[in-house]
Amino acid sequence: MQQEFEYIYAVYKAGSFSKAAENLYITQPALSIAVKKIEASIGMSLFDRTSRPLELTEAGKIYISSIEKISALEEDMNSQIQDIQELKAGHLCIGGSHYINAYILPETMTEYSKLYPGIKIELVEASSAVLAEMLKERLIDLTFSCRGDIVENFAHYPAFHDHIILAVSPEILNLPCSLSAGDVIAGKHLSPECPAISHEAMNELEYILLSEGNNLHDRAEAIFLTAGIKPKIKLEISQLATSYYLARSKFGAAFVSDRMITADEKNLNFYKIDSPVTERLFYAVLPRREYTSKTVRAFVSTFSRINN
């Protein structure tokens, strides 16, 4: 990126000249002079200096939009040049929730690093909303999401399905329709013949729910609404893995993904839930761009081969 673009973009991102100068390792007067020269050359101000933080003028919005387009083209060009090396070197930044990073990606990452040892992999963990913003700004190369409002704004490809089941300690609830970890791994809960837990039984439980804004929170609310259940919510937390381990400790019932279950699980019973929202389709989500690098395409291909 040209230096003048770098200066303008740094001020835009920081919202002030002082913070931008600090980030650029130059003095504030030097940065102010440089920006004023740019504004003089185009005959218009790019920033409204009366607002705090700084806001873009209409000309500034056009300028920033152009910078972002030029930056994207430079990234695409660099990706294409790197691809000539046939994946012998490069960088891949993947974003995911704790569930994705801990339970879905490890096998793919291990296989990918064996196939392409020259590719440096970076793993970022954050919420879906934060990851979507990072993808928009191209701070990450791809993520995974089942949220329609996120998926529709980016390039996306079907990646994997999971199914929500109810996890409860047998000391809290032990019904004939319960499933063992082995049953879940064998896919018994996916059979139409597998009985689901009754709404009456669900109504008696205390629940550990994920906090509002999480996809699984919304699906749990949909399950309760359809079943006519007024849930007894004992705790709301942000991490799916935490709710799983609290359920193991007999704290309450938790909605979990069937992809989290391991064969050595002995402390929980699992129950199929009679609801269409228990099936989730996750997509590999990428920035909209003219060119997708071989590094990213190879990862998506490796993921698809392992998970389908």
Side-chain angles (χ1 to χ4, degrees):
M1 186 185 296
Q2 295 180 24
Q3 189 178 68
E4 66 179 57
F5 291 167
E6 184 181 2
Y7 285 175
I8 297 297
Y9 203 72
V11 175
Y12 160 65
K13 294 297 290 184
S16 77
F17 280 89
S18 59
K19 290 180 181 177
E22 184 178 339
N23 294 336
L24 292 167
Y25 299 101
I26 62 175
T27 64
Q28 181 177 334
L31 178 60
S32 296
I33 291 170
V35 172
K36 286 179 180 177
K37 284 183 178 179
I38 296 167
E39 291 176 322
S41 69
I42 62 175
M44 285 181 283
S45 296
L46 299 177
F47 298 99
D48 179 358
R49 290 168 170 77
T50 63
S51 62
R52 293 291 183 274
L54 290 175
E55 293 183 0
L56 293 170
T57 62
E58 288 303 310
K61 291 176 183 177
I62 295 171
Y63 204 90
I64 291 298
S65 177
S66 298
I67 290 175
E68 291 176 337
K69 289 176 182 177
I70 292 169
S71 178
L73 287 172
E74 287 181 351
E75 286 183 23
D76 288 347
M77 178 189 67
N78 291 333
S79 293
Q80 292 180 67
I81 291 173
Q82 286 184 358
D83 282 350
I84 297 173
Q85 301 177 16
E86 293 296 329
L87 297 173
K88 292 179 182 178
H91 177 265
L92 176 65
C93 186
I94 307 165
S97 65
H98 178 77
Y99 165 59
I100 294 293
N101 292 350
Y103 294 95
I104 304 300
L105 291 182
E107 187 177 356
T108 301
M109 291 180 64
T110 300
E111 178 67 14
Y112 185 82
S113 65
K114 288 179 181 178
L115 292 171
Y116 313 108
I119 305 299
K120 181 182 178 181
I121 303 176
E122 182 181 356
L123 194 60
V124 175
E125 189 165 298
S127 68
S128 295
V130 171
L131 291 170
E133 189 62 30
M134 293 181 73
L135 199 65
K136 181 180 177 182
E137 297 187 9
R138 299 193 180 203
L139 298 177
I140 57 176
D141 294 306
L142 78 156
T143 185
F144 295 84
S145 181
C146 64
R147 286 180 48 176
D149 60 329
I150 290 177
V151 171
E152 66 185 7
N153 291 318
F154 299 96
H156 55 275
Y157 308 91
F160 69 94
H161 288 83
D162 76 352
H163 296 79
I164 299 165
I165 53 179
L166 191 64
V168 192
S169 166
E171 295 186 27
I172 295 176
L173 186 69
N174 195 8
L175 300 176
C177 64
S178 68
L179 301 168
S180 67
D183 291 332
V184 174
I185 292 171
K188 186 176 179 180
H189 60 300
L190 304 179
S191 169
E193 286 74 38
C194 179
I197 186 173
S198 68
H199 295 167
E200 291 77 16
M202 289 183 67
N203 200 40
E204 296 302 315
L205 296 170
E206 293 183 311
Y207 290 91
I208 308 156
L209 293 187
L210 295 194
S211 51
E212 191 171 350
N214 189 290
N215 176 264
L216 194 47
H217 174 94
D218 297 339
R219 289 176 187 258
E221 286 198 332
I223 290 169
F224 292 139
L225 182 63
T226 302
I229 295 170
K230 292 185 177 180
K232 305 177 186 73
I233 300 173
K234 194 170 184 180
L235 182 66
E236 289 193 8
I237 52 177
S238 61
Q239 295 291 349
L240 179 56
T242 305
S243 69
Y244 180 91
Y245 283 105
L246 284 170
R248 290 184 86 239
S249 298
K250 310 167 196 174
F251 188 80
F255 294 101
V256 301
S257 165
D258 56 355
R259 285 183 173 256
M260 301 174 67
I261 313 306
T262 58
D264 59 352
E265 178 57 69
K266 307 296 182 184
N267 298 314
L268 288 167
N269 282 347
F270 302 97
Y271 294 90
K272 176 180 179 178
I273 304 166
D274 184 18
S275 171
V277 302
T278 56
E279 181 178 3
R280 302 191 294 184
L281 171 58
F282 280 80
Y283 292 86
V285 187
L286 290 70
R288 293 190 186 276
R289 61 200 311 170
E290 293 296 324
Y291 182 81
T292 299
S293 71
K294 284 185 180 179
T295 303
V296 175
R297 283 183 279 147
F299 187 87
V300 173
S301 176
T302 304
F303 183 93
S304 179
R305 176 166 48 80
I306 289 175
N307 289 274
N308 294 291

